[in-house]
Amino acid sequence: MTAVRVYAWLVASDVRQELRRARVVVSAPVLGVLLVLLLGLALGAPDRLSADWSAGLLWMMVFFMNAVTARQTHTRDGELGARDALQMLPVDRSVIFYARWTTATLFLWWAQAVTIGAFFLFLHPSPPGRPLGFIAVQAMGGACMSGISGLLVTVFASSVLREVLLPLALFPLAVPLFLALTRLSAAMLAGNPWPSVWLDVVLGYLILFGALPWLVYETLLEV
Amino acid sequence: MKPNILFVALVGAWMLVFLWCALVLSPPEVHMGDLVRILYVHVNSAWTALLAFFVSFAASVGYLIRRRLTWDLAAASAAEIGLLFTTFTLLTGSLWGRPVWNTWWTWDPRLTTTLILWFLYVAYLLLRQTIDGVERRGRVAAVYAIVAFLDVPIIHESVTWWRSIHPTVIDDSGFHMPDSMTWPLLLGFVAFLLLFCLLFWLRFQLEITRMEAIRMREQIRRARGQAAHVQGGGR
């Protein structure tokens, strides 16, 4: 079995399992919409939000959605007893991580799409000046966030404090990314040109957290 | 024990010389007056914290390559000391900020990112305390320490693009301060470096002793088990 076939099989299996049980695909968008409502109440039902506020609030919600739902796949593996079977796959173990990253990103994108829809519906920000750029930033940000949380979930898997440690470490590690995504989103919402410095930060995160699992994931899975 | 006492004496003597230079010999600054003396502790704490985190990173890489427990213990010791010095940096920064910026805390990039660094290493120490098994703990903590340290340059770079009101008195072009202030600062750097070495050595020895105690306790438990087995006629 080649690495590519294992990867494709794992992604398909994860998506199938998730659609059958409908945990993350339901809970993450519902949580996102709930956060939008809470923000609306906290801000006193604003008539219109500025681009800076919209971008910051949007990414704060994505961060919380990601932090709360990141452990679901790992928990499901434990419930179904799939962890041992996964470790016996005759491929480099980082393939498991990349497959999980792909599915986590797909589910996060789905949750982001629903949450952003609710955000525009309830909080009335101005529509994006550069819609395609806005979607691209959301997509890149979702991929980065799920990559970092996926790696941290594996790091904290054996800790008894894993529920607390994940958000505690996720936010500090993602701060530059968070800044970059809010700046990029604000620029796309306002219809300004791409701020290249912040784009570099996002690309740097994608490269760093794309290469790190290949180097350390196998070590983390050792018994 | 004797080398430890000599080392403590050396660090203590150097520290006294540094404090004398920083608090007595060094002149007050034109605008800030005597407040500037916080600089000698604040800047050196920050440098020492970064050095400690680098040592923790290097020891973690060493552990993943060699898989020897001593590397893991060194990484943990350095991270603990790094956290201590980061706390000093934040406290002295806040004390300095109150009279100069008229606030205990401002969302300045340097302050914010130092606090972020503090959180990252609090998570590291919590992680170490909540994992069973020496080998597993070492492995997981080493990976986390590497990830956390790799984030440091990104954090540092991101703040250079963010507006900062934090003064930059030392950069690639050198020290932007008079010699009367540069020398106490450099003297303080050596003092803090020696203090780091001393604390690191003591903390590392403590960890080694703790591991030895755990090993001996395990041996006693096993010997008691065997004795009970023999007394019971091997049943």
Side-chain angles (χ1 to χ4, degrees), chain A residues 110-143:
Chain A
W110 157 245
Q112 276 176 276
V114 174
T115 310
I116 291 168
F119 188 81
F120 278 91
L121 183 71
F122 292 122
L123 299 179
H124 323 295
S126 306
R130 301 182 71 170
L132 284 178
F134 181 73
I135 292 168
V137 172
Q138 296 298 319
M140 281 191 295

PDB file of all heavy atoms in Angstrom, chain A residues 110-143:
ATOM      1  N   TRP A 110     -15.981  23.966   6.600  1.00  0.00           N
ATOM      2  CA  TRP A 110     -17.447  23.872   6.631  1.00  0.00           C
ATOM      3  C   TRP A 110     -17.990  24.742   7.789  1.00  0.00           C
ATOM      4  O   TRP A 110     -18.899  25.546   7.597  1.00  0.00           O
ATOM      5  CB  TRP A 110     -17.853  22.407   6.769  1.00  0.00           C
ATOM      6  CG  TRP A 110     -19.215  22.154   7.345  1.00  0.00           C
ATOM      7  CD1 TRP A 110     -19.494  21.542   8.527  1.00  0.00           C
ATOM      8  CD2 TRP A 110     -20.489  22.498   6.789  1.00  0.00           C
ATOM      9  NE1 TRP A 110     -20.838  21.488   8.755  1.00  0.00           N
ATOM     10  CE2 TRP A 110     -21.493  22.074   7.694  1.00  0.00           C
ATOM     11  CE3 TRP A 110     -20.911  23.151   5.631  1.00  0.00           C
ATOM     12  CZ2 TRP A 110     -22.847  22.260   7.491  1.00  0.00           C
ATOM     13  CZ3 TRP A 110     -22.262  23.333   5.414  1.00  0.00           C
ATOM     14  CH2 TRP A 110     -23.218  22.891   6.339  1.00  0.00           C
ATOM     15  N   ALA A 111     -17.407  24.600   8.971  1.00  0.00           N
ATOM     16  CA  ALA A 111     -17.855  25.370  10.141  1.00  0.00           C
ATOM     17  C   ALA A 111     -17.633  26.867   9.908  1.00  0.00           C
ATOM     18  O   ALA A 111     -18.485  27.689  10.277  1.00  0.00           O
ATOM     19  CB  ALA A 111     -17.095  24.906  11.379  1.00  0.00           C
ATOM     20  N   GLN A 112     -16.502  27.219   9.284  1.00  0.00           N
ATOM     21  CA  GLN A 112     -16.218  28.639   8.990  1.00  0.00           C
ATOM     22  C   GLN A 112     -17.272  29.208   8.041  1.00  0.00           C
ATOM     23  O   GLN A 112     -17.752  30.330   8.238  1.00  0.00           O
ATOM     24  CB  GLN A 112     -14.846  28.773   8.318  1.00  0.00           C
ATOM     25  CG  GLN A 112     -13.685  28.811   9.297  1.00  0.00           C
ATOM     26  CD  GLN A 112     -12.366  28.836   8.547  1.00  0.00           C
ATOM     27  OE1 GLN A 112     -11.848  27.792   8.152  1.00  0.00           O
ATOM     28  NE2 GLN A 112     -11.809  30.006   8.355  1.00  0.00           N
ATOM     29  N   ALA A 113     -17.631  28.409   7.014  1.00  0.00           N
ATOM     30  CA  ALA A 113     -18.602  28.893   6.020  1.00  0.00           C
ATOM     31  C   ALA A 113     -19.938  29.218   6.698  1.00  0.00           C
ATOM     32  O   ALA A 113     -20.509  30.290   6.465  1.00  0.00           O
ATOM     33  CB  ALA A 113     -18.794  27.837   4.931  1.00  0.00           C
ATOM     34  N   VAL A 114     -20.388  28.299   7.573  1.00  0.00           N
ATOM     35  CA  VAL A 114     -21.671  28.526   8.252  1.00  0.00           C
ATOM     36  C   VAL A 114     -21.568  29.736   9.186  1.00  0.00           C
ATOM     37  O   VAL A 114     -22.445  30.606   9.219  1.00  0.00           O
ATOM     38  CB  VAL A 114     -22.094  27.257   9.040  1.00  0.00           C
ATOM     39  CG1 VAL A 114     -23.349  27.524   9.857  1.00  0.00           C
ATOM     40  CG2 VAL A 114     -22.310  26.095   8.087  1.00  0.00           C
ATOM     41  N   THR A 115     -20.460  29.798   9.952  1.00  0.00           N
ATOM     42  CA  THR A 115     -20.294  30.881  10.924  1.00  0.00           C
ATOM     43  C   THR A 115     -20.194  32.246  10.235  1.00  0.00           C
ATOM     44  O   THR A 115     -20.778  33.225  10.704  1.00  0.00           O
ATOM     45  CB  THR A 115     -19.029  30.641  11.778  1.00  0.00           C
ATOM     46  OG1 THR A 115     -19.083  29.319  12.272  1.00  0.00           O
ATOM     47  CG2 THR A 115     -18.922  31.600  12.930  1.00  0.00           C
ATOM     48  N   ILE A 116     -19.456  32.289   9.126  1.00  0.00           N
ATOM     49  CA  ILE A 116     -19.310  33.572   8.410  1.00  0.00           C
ATOM     50  C   ILE A 116     -20.669  34.016   7.860  1.00  0.00           C
ATOM     51  O   ILE A 116     -21.024  35.201   7.907  1.00  0.00           O
ATOM     52  CB  ILE A 116     -18.243  33.462   7.289  1.00  0.00           C
ATOM     53  CG1 ILE A 116     -16.862  33.321   7.931  1.00  0.00           C
ATOM     54  CG2 ILE A 116     -18.268  34.674   6.366  1.00  0.00           C
ATOM     55  CD1 ILE A 116     -15.765  32.921   6.977  1.00  0.00           C
ATOM     56  N   GLY A 117     -21.437  33.036   7.370  1.00  0.00           N
ATOM     57  CA  GLY A 117     -22.795  33.358   6.889  1.00  0.00           C
ATOM     58  C   GLY A 117     -23.612  33.987   8.002  1.00  0.00           C
ATOM     59  O   GLY A 117     -24.246  35.036   7.808  1.00  0.00           O
ATOM     60  N   ALA A 118     -23.578  33.357   9.185  1.00  0.00           N
ATOM     61  CA  ALA A 118     -24.335  33.870  10.341  1.00  0.00           C
ATOM     62  C   ALA A 118     -23.796  35.235  10.762  1.00  0.00           C
ATOM     63  O   ALA A 118     -24.564  36.135  11.138  1.00  0.00           O
ATOM     64  CB  ALA A 118     -24.234  32.881  11.492  1.00  0.00           C
ATOM     65  N   PHE A 119     -22.482  35.398  10.679  1.00  0.00           N
ATOM     66  CA  PHE A 119     -21.829  36.656  11.071  1.00  0.00           C
ATOM     67  C   PHE A 119     -22.346  37.819  10.207  1.00  0.00           C
ATOM     68  O   PHE A 119     -22.714  38.875  10.721  1.00  0.00           O
ATOM     69  CB  PHE A 119     -20.313  36.493  10.914  1.00  0.00           C
ATOM     70  CG  PHE A 119     -19.500  37.616  11.458  1.00  0.00           C
ATOM     71  CD1 PHE A 119     -19.224  37.697  12.813  1.00  0.00           C
ATOM     72  CD2 PHE A 119     -18.990  38.598  10.625  1.00  0.00           C
ATOM     73  CE1 PHE A 119     -18.469  38.734  13.323  1.00  0.00           C
ATOM     74  CE2 PHE A 119     -18.237  39.641  11.130  1.00  0.00           C
ATOM     75  CZ  PHE A 119     -17.975  39.707  12.490  1.00  0.00           C
ATOM     76  N   PHE A 120     -22.392  37.586   8.894  1.00  0.00           N
ATOM     77  CA  PHE A 120     -22.856  38.645   7.990  1.00  0.00           C
ATOM     78  C   PHE A 120     -24.355  38.898   8.159  1.00  0.00           C
ATOM     79  O   PHE A 120     -24.823  40.020   8.014  1.00  0.00           O
ATOM     80  CB  PHE A 120     -22.513  38.300   6.534  1.00  0.00           C
ATOM     81  CG  PHE A 120     -21.100  38.643   6.180  1.00  0.00           C
ATOM     82  CD1 PHE A 120     -20.072  37.723   6.325  1.00  0.00           C
ATOM     83  CD2 PHE A 120     -20.772  39.923   5.730  1.00  0.00           C
ATOM     84  CE1 PHE A 120     -18.768  38.039   6.026  1.00  0.00           C
ATOM     85  CE2 PHE A 120     -19.454  40.249   5.425  1.00  0.00           C
ATOM     86  CZ  PHE A 120     -18.449  39.308   5.578  1.00  0.00           C
ATOM     87  N   LEU A 121     -25.077  37.821   8.489  1.00  0.00           N
ATOM     88  CA  LEU A 121     -26.527  37.940   8.647  1.00  0.00           C
ATOM     89  C   LEU A 121     -26.893  38.730   9.911  1.00  0.00           C
ATOM     90  O   LEU A 121     -27.727  39.621   9.887  1.00  0.00           O
ATOM     91  CB  LEU A 121     -27.132  36.534   8.718  1.00  0.00           C
ATOM     92  CG  LEU A 121     -28.656  36.443   8.820  1.00  0.00           C
ATOM     93  CD1 LEU A 121     -29.303  36.848   7.495  1.00  0.00           C
ATOM     94  CD2 LEU A 121     -29.082  35.023   9.187  1.00  0.00           C
ATOM     95  N   PHE A 122     -26.220  38.412  11.023  1.00  0.00           N
ATOM     96  CA  PHE A 122     -26.624  38.996  12.311  1.00  0.00           C
ATOM     97  C   PHE A 122     -25.913  40.311  12.653  1.00  0.00           C
ATOM     98  O   PHE A 122     -26.475  41.161  13.319  1.00  0.00           O
ATOM     99  CB  PHE A 122     -26.359  38.003  13.450  1.00  0.00           C
ATOM    100  CG  PHE A 122     -27.250  36.786  13.403  1.00  0.00           C
ATOM    101  CD1 PHE A 122     -26.712  35.516  13.333  1.00  0.00           C
ATOM    102  CD2 PHE A 122     -28.636  36.907  13.433  1.00  0.00           C
ATOM    103  CE1 PHE A 122     -27.522  34.387  13.287  1.00  0.00           C
ATOM    104  CE2 PHE A 122     -29.456  35.788  13.400  1.00  0.00           C
ATOM    105  CZ  PHE A 122     -28.898  34.528  13.314  1.00  0.00           C
ATOM    106  N   LEU A 123     -24.642  40.439  12.253  1.00  0.00           N
ATOM    107  CA  LEU A 123     -23.860  41.591  12.727  1.00  0.00           C
ATOM    108  C   LEU A 123     -23.662  42.686  11.665  1.00  0.00           C
ATOM    109  O   LEU A 123     -23.011  43.698  11.948  1.00  0.00           O
ATOM    110  CB  LEU A 123     -22.498  41.128  13.267  1.00  0.00           C
ATOM    111  CG  LEU A 123     -22.559  40.161  14.458  1.00  0.00           C
ATOM    112  CD1 LEU A 123     -21.163  39.747  14.888  1.00  0.00           C
ATOM    113  CD2 LEU A 123     -23.266  40.801  15.643  1.00  0.00           C
ATOM    114  N   HIS A 124     -24.168  42.448  10.485  1.00  0.00           N
ATOM    115  CA  HIS A 124     -24.180  43.447   9.400  1.00  0.00           C
ATOM    116  C   HIS A 124     -22.836  44.130   9.123  1.00  0.00           C
ATOM    117  O   HIS A 124     -22.789  45.360   9.042  1.00  0.00           O
ATOM    118  CB  HIS A 124     -25.219  44.558   9.682  1.00  0.00           C
ATOM    119  CG  HIS A 124     -26.456  44.082  10.316  1.00  0.00           C
ATOM    120  ND1 HIS A 124     -27.335  43.226   9.695  1.00  0.00           N
ATOM    121  CD2 HIS A 124     -26.988  44.303  11.552  1.00  0.00           C
ATOM    122  CE1 HIS A 124     -28.331  42.956  10.498  1.00  0.00           C
ATOM    123  NE2 HIS A 124     -28.149  43.579  11.642  1.00  0.00           N
ATOM    124  N   PRO A 125     -21.749  43.394   8.973  1.00  0.00           N
ATOM    125  CA  PRO A 125     -20.519  44.089   8.523  1.00  0.00           C
ATOM    126  C   PRO A 125     -20.641  44.398   7.027  1.00  0.00           C
ATOM    127  O   PRO A 125     -21.496  43.807   6.348  1.00  0.00           O
ATOM    128  CB  PRO A 125     -19.417  43.057   8.771  1.00  0.00           C
ATOM    129  CG  PRO A 125     -20.103  41.743   8.745  1.00  0.00           C
ATOM    130  CD  PRO A 125     -21.549  41.947   9.111  1.00  0.00           C
ATOM    131  N   SER A 126     -19.773  45.290   6.539  1.00  0.00           N
ATOM    132  CA  SER A 126     -19.809  45.592   5.093  1.00  0.00           C
ATOM    133  C   SER A 126     -19.361  44.348   4.335  1.00  0.00           C
ATOM    134  O   SER A 126     -18.470  43.638   4.797  1.00  0.00           O
ATOM    135  CB  SER A 126     -18.843  46.731   4.773  1.00  0.00           C
ATOM    136  OG  SER A 126     -19.133  47.823   5.605  1.00  0.00           O
ATOM    137  N   PRO A 127     -19.953  44.069   3.170  1.00  0.00           N
ATOM    138  CA  PRO A 127     -19.505  42.899   2.399  1.00  0.00           C
ATOM    139  C   PRO A 127     -18.049  43.071   1.974  1.00  0.00           C
ATOM    140  O   PRO A 127     -17.578  44.205   1.823  1.00  0.00           O
ATOM    141  CB  PRO A 127     -20.439  42.881   1.191  1.00  0.00           C
ATOM    142  CG  PRO A 127     -21.281  44.077   1.267  1.00  0.00           C
ATOM    143  CD  PRO A 127     -21.051  44.789   2.545  1.00  0.00           C
ATOM    144  N   PRO A 128     -17.297  41.954   1.813  1.00  0.00           N
ATOM    145  CA  PRO A 128     -15.868  42.081   1.489  1.00  0.00           C
ATOM    146  C   PRO A 128     -15.625  42.842   0.192  1.00  0.00           C
ATOM    147  O   PRO A 128     -16.297  42.587  -0.811  1.00  0.00           O
ATOM    148  CB  PRO A 128     -15.395  40.623   1.347  1.00  0.00           C
ATOM    149  CG  PRO A 128     -16.485  39.766   1.853  1.00  0.00           C
ATOM    150  CD  PRO A 128     -17.735  40.570   1.886  1.00  0.00           C
ATOM    151  N   GLY A 129     -14.665  43.749   0.234  1.00  0.00           N
ATOM    152  CA  GLY A 129     -14.281  44.497  -0.966  1.00  0.00           C
ATOM    153  C   GLY A 129     -13.607  43.591  -1.974  1.00  0.00           C
ATOM    154  O   GLY A 129     -13.697  43.803  -3.182  1.00  0.00           O
ATOM    155  N   ARG A 130     -12.917  42.571  -1.460  1.00  0.00           N
ATOM    156  CA  ARG A 130     -12.256  41.602  -2.352  1.00  0.00           C
ATOM    157  C   ARG A 130     -12.695  40.199  -1.922  1.00  0.00           C
ATOM    158  O   ARG A 130     -12.007  39.545  -1.131  1.00  0.00           O
ATOM    159  CB  ARG A 130     -10.735  41.753  -2.251  1.00  0.00           C
ATOM    160  CG  ARG A 130     -10.265  43.150  -2.613  1.00  0.00           C
ATOM    161  CD  ARG A 130      -8.779  43.286  -2.553  1.00  0.00           C
ATOM    162  NE  ARG A 130      -8.144  42.562  -3.644  1.00  0.00           N
ATOM    163  CZ  ARG A 130      -6.866  42.661  -3.941  1.00  0.00           C
ATOM    164  NH1 ARG A 130      -6.081  43.424  -3.231  1.00  0.00           N
ATOM    165  NH2 ARG A 130      -6.357  41.983  -4.929  1.00  0.00           N
ATOM    166  N   PRO A 131     -13.847  39.737  -2.425  1.00  0.00           N
ATOM    167  CA  PRO A 131     -14.426  38.474  -1.932  1.00  0.00           C
ATOM    168  C   PRO A 131     -13.516  37.257  -2.127  1.00  0.00           C
ATOM    169  O   PRO A 131     -13.397  36.418  -1.223  1.00  0.00           O
ATOM    170  CB  PRO A 131     -15.713  38.325  -2.732  1.00  0.00           C
ATOM    171  CG  PRO A 131     -15.875  39.530  -3.547  1.00  0.00           C
ATOM    172  CD  PRO A 131     -14.663  40.378  -3.449  1.00  0.00           C
ATOM    173  N   LEU A 132     -12.873  37.165  -3.294  1.00  0.00           N
ATOM    174  CA  LEU A 132     -12.017  35.991  -3.540  1.00  0.00           C
ATOM    175  C   LEU A 132     -10.816  35.966  -2.590  1.00  0.00           C
ATOM    176  O   LEU A 132     -10.444  34.919  -2.064  1.00  0.00           O
ATOM    177  CB  LEU A 132     -11.538  35.978  -4.995  1.00  0.00           C
ATOM    178  CG  LEU A 132     -12.585  35.553  -6.025  1.00  0.00           C
ATOM    179  CD1 LEU A 132     -12.014  35.616  -7.429  1.00  0.00           C
ATOM    180  CD2 LEU A 132     -13.099  34.135  -5.741  1.00  0.00           C
ATOM    181  N   GLY A 133     -10.248  37.148  -2.379  1.00  0.00           N
ATOM    182  CA  GLY A 133      -9.126  37.257  -1.430  1.00  0.00           C
ATOM    183  C   GLY A 133      -9.572  36.893  -0.032  1.00  0.00           C
ATOM    184  O   GLY A 133      -8.861  36.190   0.700  1.00  0.00           O
ATOM    185  N   PHE A 134     -10.779  37.325   0.339  1.00  0.00           N
ATOM    186  CA  PHE A 134     -11.322  37.026   1.664  1.00  0.00           C
ATOM    187  C   PHE A 134     -11.477  35.512   1.847  1.00  0.00           C
ATOM    188  O   PHE A 134     -11.093  34.953   2.881  1.00  0.00           O
ATOM    189  CB  PHE A 134     -12.675  37.742   1.822  1.00  0.00           C
ATOM    190  CG  PHE A 134     -13.323  37.531   3.152  1.00  0.00           C
ATOM    191  CD1 PHE A 134     -12.826  38.143   4.295  1.00  0.00           C
ATOM    192  CD2 PHE A 134     -14.434  36.707   3.282  1.00  0.00           C
ATOM    193  CE1 PHE A 134     -13.414  37.943   5.536  1.00  0.00           C
ATOM    194  CE2 PHE A 134     -15.036  36.503   4.510  1.00  0.00           C
ATOM    195  CZ  PHE A 134     -14.525  37.121   5.645  1.00  0.00           C
ATOM    196  N   ILE A 135     -12.014  34.855   0.809  1.00  0.00           N
ATOM    197  CA  ILE A 135     -12.198  33.394   0.889  1.00  0.00           C
ATOM    198  C   ILE A 135     -10.833  32.700   0.979  1.00  0.00           C
ATOM    199  O   ILE A 135     -10.651  31.752   1.753  1.00  0.00           O
ATOM    200  CB  ILE A 135     -13.002  32.890  -0.342  1.00  0.00           C
ATOM    201  CG1 ILE A 135     -14.436  33.423  -0.255  1.00  0.00           C
ATOM    202  CG2 ILE A 135     -13.012  31.365  -0.414  1.00  0.00           C
ATOM    203  CD1 ILE A 135     -15.252  33.241  -1.514  1.00  0.00           C
ATOM    204  N   ALA A 136      -9.857  33.190   0.199  1.00  0.00           N
ATOM    205  CA  ALA A 136      -8.514  32.587   0.227  1.00  0.00           C
ATOM    206  C   ALA A 136      -7.896  32.708   1.622  1.00  0.00           C
ATOM    207  O   ALA A 136      -7.284  31.753   2.132  1.00  0.00           O
ATOM    208  CB  ALA A 136      -7.619  33.255  -0.808  1.00  0.00           C
ATOM    209  N   VAL A 137      -8.071  33.874   2.266  1.00  0.00           N
ATOM    210  CA  VAL A 137      -7.515  34.066   3.624  1.00  0.00           C
ATOM    211  C   VAL A 137      -8.201  33.109   4.605  1.00  0.00           C
ATOM    212  O   VAL A 137      -7.545  32.477   5.441  1.00  0.00           O
ATOM    213  CB  VAL A 137      -7.706  35.537   4.083  1.00  0.00           C
ATOM    214  CG1 VAL A 137      -7.330  35.698   5.544  1.00  0.00           C
ATOM    215  CG2 VAL A 137      -6.870  36.467   3.234  1.00  0.00           C
ATOM    216  N   GLN A 138      -9.523  32.983   4.487  1.00  0.00           N
ATOM    217  CA  GLN A 138     -10.254  32.063   5.373  1.00  0.00           C
ATOM    218  C   GLN A 138      -9.737  30.633   5.180  1.00  0.00           C
ATOM    219  O   GLN A 138      -9.543  29.896   6.154  1.00  0.00           O
ATOM    220  CB  GLN A 138     -11.759  32.109   5.067  1.00  0.00           C
ATOM    221  CG  GLN A 138     -12.424  33.437   5.343  1.00  0.00           C
ATOM    222  CD  GLN A 138     -12.359  33.831   6.804  1.00  0.00           C
ATOM    223  OE1 GLN A 138     -12.541  33.000   7.672  1.00  0.00           O
ATOM    224  NE2 GLN A 138     -12.071  35.084   7.083  1.00  0.00           N
ATOM    225  N   ALA A 139      -9.531  30.263   3.918  1.00  0.00           N
ATOM    226  CA  ALA A 139      -9.085  28.895   3.631  1.00  0.00           C
ATOM    227  C   ALA A 139      -7.688  28.637   4.199  1.00  0.00           C
ATOM    228  O   ALA A 139      -7.441  27.621   4.871  1.00  0.00           O
ATOM    229  CB  ALA A 139      -9.097  28.662   2.119  1.00  0.00           C
ATOM    230  N   MET A 140      -6.770  29.578   3.965  1.00  0.00           N
ATOM    231  CA  MET A 140      -5.395  29.407   4.469  1.00  0.00           C
ATOM    232  C   MET A 140      -5.385  29.388   5.994  1.00  0.00           C
ATOM    233  O   MET A 140      -4.698  28.573   6.620  1.00  0.00           O
ATOM    234  CB  MET A 140      -4.501  30.555   3.971  1.00  0.00           C
ATOM    235  CG  MET A 140      -4.048  30.394   2.544  1.00  0.00           C
ATOM    236  SD  MET A 140      -2.769  31.576   2.107  1.00  0.00           S
ATOM    237  CE  MET A 140      -3.597  33.118   2.228  1.00  0.00           C
ATOM    238  N   GLY A 141      -6.151  30.291   6.595  1.00  0.00           N
ATOM    239  CA  GLY A 141      -6.210  30.362   8.061  1.00  0.00           C
ATOM    240  C   GLY A 141      -6.763  29.099   8.664  1.00  0.00           C
ATOM    241  O   GLY A 141      -6.232  28.577   9.647  1.00  0.00           O
ATOM    242  N   GLY A 142      -7.827  28.567   8.065  1.00  0.00           N
ATOM    243  CA  GLY A 142      -8.417  27.313   8.558  1.00  0.00           C
ATOM    244  C   GLY A 142      -7.414  26.177   8.499  1.00  0.00           C
ATOM    245  O   GLY A 142      -7.283  25.378   9.441  1.00  0.00           O
ATOM    246  N   ALA A 143      -6.671  26.113   7.381  1.00  0.00           N
ATOM    247  CA  ALA A 143      -5.667  25.039   7.228  1.00  0.00           C
ATOM    248  C   ALA A 143      -4.575  25.175   8.289  1.00  0.00           C
ATOM    249  O   ALA A 143      -4.166  24.179   8.908  1.00  0.00           O
ATOM    250  CB  ALA A 143      -5.073  25.099   5.826  1.00  0.00           C
TER     251      ALA A 143
END
